[in-house]
Amino acid sequence: MSGKKKKNSRIQSKLVTYIWVCVIPFIALIVFAAVQLLGYYQKYDLLVRNITSANEFNMDFKDDMDEMMYRIIIGSANWTDPEKKLEGEDPKGLISDARAHFTELREKTTEQNVQADLDALIKLLGILDERVDDILANVEEGGHYDENMEMLDMNIRTLTSLIQDDIQKYIYDEATNMEMLRRQVAASLVSSIRILVFLLIAMIIIIVIMSRRLSKRITQPITELCDMTEKFAGGDFTVSYHTDSNDEMATLAESFNSMVKEIETLIADIHREQENAKDAELRLLQEQINPHFLYNTLDAIIWMTESGENKKAIQIIQELSSFFRISLSKGQSEITISDEKEHVRSYLEIQHYRYQDILEYEIDFDESILDYHIQKLTLQPIVENALYHGIKNKRGLGKISVTGAMDGDDIVFTIEDNGIGMKPEELTELRDLIAGRVVKDDAKGFGMANVEKRLEMLYGTRYGMTVESEYTKGTKVTVRIPKV
């Protein structure tokens, strides 16, 4: 992996910013509502627990206290003998628990009416505690039964009734507070809903505005770039795109402008190469239809006619007609391999009439390749080179063999002669000329160099020709093209 840090996307940063701008108010509203609901819940829970605990005392305190004091007075609880006291027969403990409980409630409440209720209740519990002490003192002393019973009726039961009334009042006031809390929660809920609806409407408006702004900032440069691309695809190479943003679109615009310039340069190079190819093909065609070949052939026809060899003259005329018909090919650059074979055969047959003492030829093409296409004037310049620079420079009879066969996805042709061949320096010069390392318009093998250049431009560097030669032994040229 590269050690460079990945560049942050500016468009992505803008999107994230816009999303957070939209989301944060909702998060704040949810947090506010949650905190508010939590506060209401805590208040409501406290009220319920207070009412529940107070209700327990309201139900049991008076009966327990009255019953317990009565049993102590009549001796059933035997207050003076700890070993005979019944479990739970402790009025002082009951009063202490009640006082502690309601004191705790007093400390937690903030409502003034509830505080007043609890203050009166705690005060009554204090008085009850004193009256209980009076009765317990008489019980311990003994002999105060009638007095104790009167104190039970006049003091204890009266006080417990008052305490019960205060507990009920406390419960009523707390219930009233609960109702007020309920109304407050309802009002707050309605208010919260209104605020939420208002915020939702505001956020929707903000989101619409921001989304349109964001989409415009993102899509408008892309749309403009698409328009430029359409113009560019239509052939307008003068287009260029510029943007004021400093995000990825600026990089994209710069890349697009660079691409347009590069493609414009490439197309200009292609046009130039096409013109060069046309020029090369025209020169090659002009070289093929050179006056010397035509004049010599016509001279041979005249000579045969004057000699009475009219049949041979007619055959040469037919071959010459076939040669030029395929050379022109109605302006087409591609012909079938079958036509290329016929073109080579017509050329060699014409030359055979002229050089029958020194020239033999053989053409052998596989039937399977005849329907494939080839650039015209591919093989004939190589055959001509073999005749003029190979066979004619050799003493005695020479032979040119032209073959064609399938090789995988390629088609391979060989033009082989047993002429004079080439010396190493001549072979190197020809290879340099074919490879384009040297340029000599009047050099031997100029036609072959044109053929190689056309094959390379059409099919790529994988295809083309190779030349092998040995002095006094002959020359072999191999041409490889794809199946088309």
Side-chain angles (χ1 to χ4, degrees):
M1 293 181 62
S2 175
K4 297 180 178 180
K5 292 181 66 176
K6 185 177 179 181
K7 186 178 179 180
N8 292 330
S9 170
R10 295 184 179 270
I11 294 179
Q12 183 182 8
S13 299
K14 291 179 181 178
L15 286 172
V16 172
T17 301
Y18 287 142
I19 290 172
W20 277 112
V21 168
C22 296
V23 169
I24 287 176
F26 284 105
I27 295 177
L29 180 62
I30 292 172
V31 172
F32 172 76
V35 171
Q36 194 174 32
L37 288 175
L38 180 61
Y40 287 139
Y41 168 76
Q42 290 176 343
K43 290 181 180 179
Y44 184 82
D45 180 66
L46 179 61
L47 288 174
V48 171
R49 286 190 287 108
N50 291 347
I51 291 173
T52 302
S53 61
N55 195 48
E56 291 178 356
F57 279 96
N58 181 51
M59 294 174 60
D60 301 328
F61 183 78
K62 176 176 174 54
D63 294 338
D64 291 345
M65 179 60 67
D66 291 349
E67 179 70 19
M68 195 180 304
M69 292 306 296
Y70 176 73
R71 292 170 60 83
I72 291 174
I73 292 172
I74 65 176
S76 171
N78 202 352
W79 175 262
T80 58
D81 189 355
E83 294 182 0
K84 295 181 180 181
K85 283 177 59 176
L86 297 176
E87 185 177 356
E89 299 287 352
D90 186 4
K92 297 286 289 184
L94 182 59
I95 294 172
S96 177
D97 291 342
R99 183 185 297 172
H101 179 74
F102 288 110
T103 300
E104 183 180 359
L105 294 181
R106 172 63 176 80
E107 293 173 354
K108 292 180 179 179
T109 187
T110 59
E111 302 295 333
Q112 292 183 357
N113 60 336
V114 175
Q115 289 178 349
D117 294 339
L118 292 174
D119 288 339
L121 182 58
I122 294 170
K123 186 176 181 179
L124 287 174
L125 287 171
I127 297 172
L128 177 63
D129 188 36
E130 293 175 357
R131 300 290 82 80
V132 168
D133 286 340
D134 292 341
I135 293 174
L136 293 179
N138 288 339
V139 170
E140 290 178 358
E141 184 179 343
H144 298 280
Y145 176 80
D146 293 334
E147 182 182 355
N148 288 338
M149 289 297 292
E150 183 179 359
M151 293 177 63
L152 173 63
D153 291 333
M154 298 299 294
N155 294 331
I156 302 300
R157 288 175 179 169
T158 300
L159 288 171
T160 55
S161 295
L162 292 174
I163 290 172
Q164 187 177 37
D165 291 341
D166 281 352
I167 292 176
Q168 289 177 349
K169 189 173 186 305
Y170 165 76
I171 293 173
Y172 174 80
D173 288 340
E174 286 285 49
T176 302
N177 292 335
M178 184 181 295
E179 175 62 19
M180 293 177 60
L181 180 62
R182 184 195 67 78
R183 293 178 182 179
Q184 186 179 358
V185 170
S188 178
L189 181 61
V190 172
S191 177
S192 297
I193 291 175
R194 290 176 181 173
I195 294 173
L196 179 61
V197 171
F198 173 78
L199 287 178
L200 283 174
I201 295 174
M203 287 308 304
I204 290 173
I205 295 174
I206 294 173
I207 289 172
V208 169
I209 295 174
M210 295 183 66
S211 61
R212 292 186 63 180
R213 180 182 176 187
L214 177 62
S215 62
K216 184 177 180 181
R217 289 177 63 89
I218 294 177
T219 60
Q220 183 176 356
I222 295 176
T223 302
E224 293 175 354
L225 186 59
C226 288
D227 294 339
M228 295 295 175
T229 304
E230 290 180 359
K231 292 180 181 179
F232 173 67
D236 185 1
F237 298 109
T238 62
V239 298
S240 61
Y241 177 67
H242 302 281
T243 178
D244 296 331
S245 64
N246 58 348
D247 51 22
E248 288 78 4
M249 288 306 303
T251 303
L252 189 60
E254 184 179 351
S255 301
F256 173 78
N257 295 333
S258 299
M259 180 190 69
V260 170
K261 292 181 181 178
E262 290 180 4
I263 293 180
E264 183 180 8
T265 302
L266 289 174
I267 291 178
D269 293 341
I270 291 173
H271 286 164
R272 188 162 48 251
E273 290 180 0
Q274 288 177 342
E275 293 298 327
N276 293 337
K278 290 179 181 178
D279 292 341
E281 184 175 352
L282 179 60
R283 292 175 64 184
L284 183 61
L285 185 59
Q286 290 172 343
E287 185 177 287
Q288 288 301 121
I289 312 175
N290 63 73
H292 296 292
F293 171 70
L294 182 58
Y295 292 159
N296 292 336
T297 303
L298 292 176
D299 287 341
I301 293 172
I302 294 172
W303 176 78
M304 290 178 184
T305 303
E306 291 176 349
S307 301
E309 298 180 0
N310 295 334
K311 189 174 181 179
K312 287 186 177 181
I314 292 172
Q315 290 176 347
I316 292 180
I317 292 173
Q318 290 175 342
E319 298 295 345
L320 186 62
S321 174
S322 176
F323 176 82
F324 283 114
R325 176 182 61 80
I326 297 174
S327 294
L328 297 175
S329 300
K330 298 180 180 180
Q332 296 179 354
S333 61
E334 283 189 357
I335 59 176
T336 63
I337 292 177
S338 176
D339 286 340
E340 183 73 3
K341 175 185 177 183
E342 178 63 20
H343 190 243
V344 172
R345 190 201 64 76
S346 298
Y347 175 79
L348 287 174
E349 187 64 22
I350 292 170
Q351 297 292 25
H352 179 66
Y353 282 117
R354 295 180 55 201
Y355 303 107
Q356 54 186 339
D357 295 334
I358 64 171
L359 174 63
E360 288 184 348
Y361 71 88
E362 178 184 7
I363 301 176
D364 182 17
F365 282 15
D366 289 349
E367 293 292 329
S368 60
I369 70 171
L370 296 180
D371 291 332
Y372 288 97
H373 283 212
I374 187 174
Q375 289 292 311
K376 69 179 180 182
L377 301 176
T378 296
L379 301 180
Q380 186 273 332
I382 303 173
V383 172
E384 181 177 352
N385 195 77
L387 172 61
Y388 283 101
H389 301 291
I391 301 299
K392 286 184 67 175
N393 292 331
K394 175 187 176 181
R395 295 180 180 180
L397 184 65
K399 182 178 181 181
I400 297 176
S401 298
V402 184
T403 63
M406 197 82 71
D407 183 17
D409 291 333
D410 299 336
I411 299 175
V412 178
F413 301 96
T414 57
I415 299 92
E416 190 171 6
D417 69 79
N418 58 356
I420 190 63
M422 285 179 279
K423 297 178 181 178
E425 60 272 15
E426 293 176 329
L427 179 60
T428 299
E429 182 180 356
L430 178 61
R431 287 174 174 172
D432 289 341
L433 181 65
I434 292 173
R437 291 187 287 269
V438 296
V439 179
K440 295 181 180 180
D441 291 349
D442 58 347
K444 178 174 68 175
F446 173 74
M448 294 176 63
N450 274 330
V451 170
E452 171 67 15
K453 186 176 181 180
R454 285 191 300 147
L455 293 177
E456 182 176 332
M457 286 192 299
L458 290 169
Y459 307 127
T461 56
R462 182 172 176 269
Y463 300 97
M465 69 173 68
T466 56
V467 182
E468 301 174 14
S469 183
E470 187 177 352
Y471 190 60
T472 72
K473 296 291 183 67
T475 301
K476 178 181 178 181
V477 179
T478 302
V479 178
R480 180 179 293 272
I481 66 172
K483 292 191 297 185
V484 181

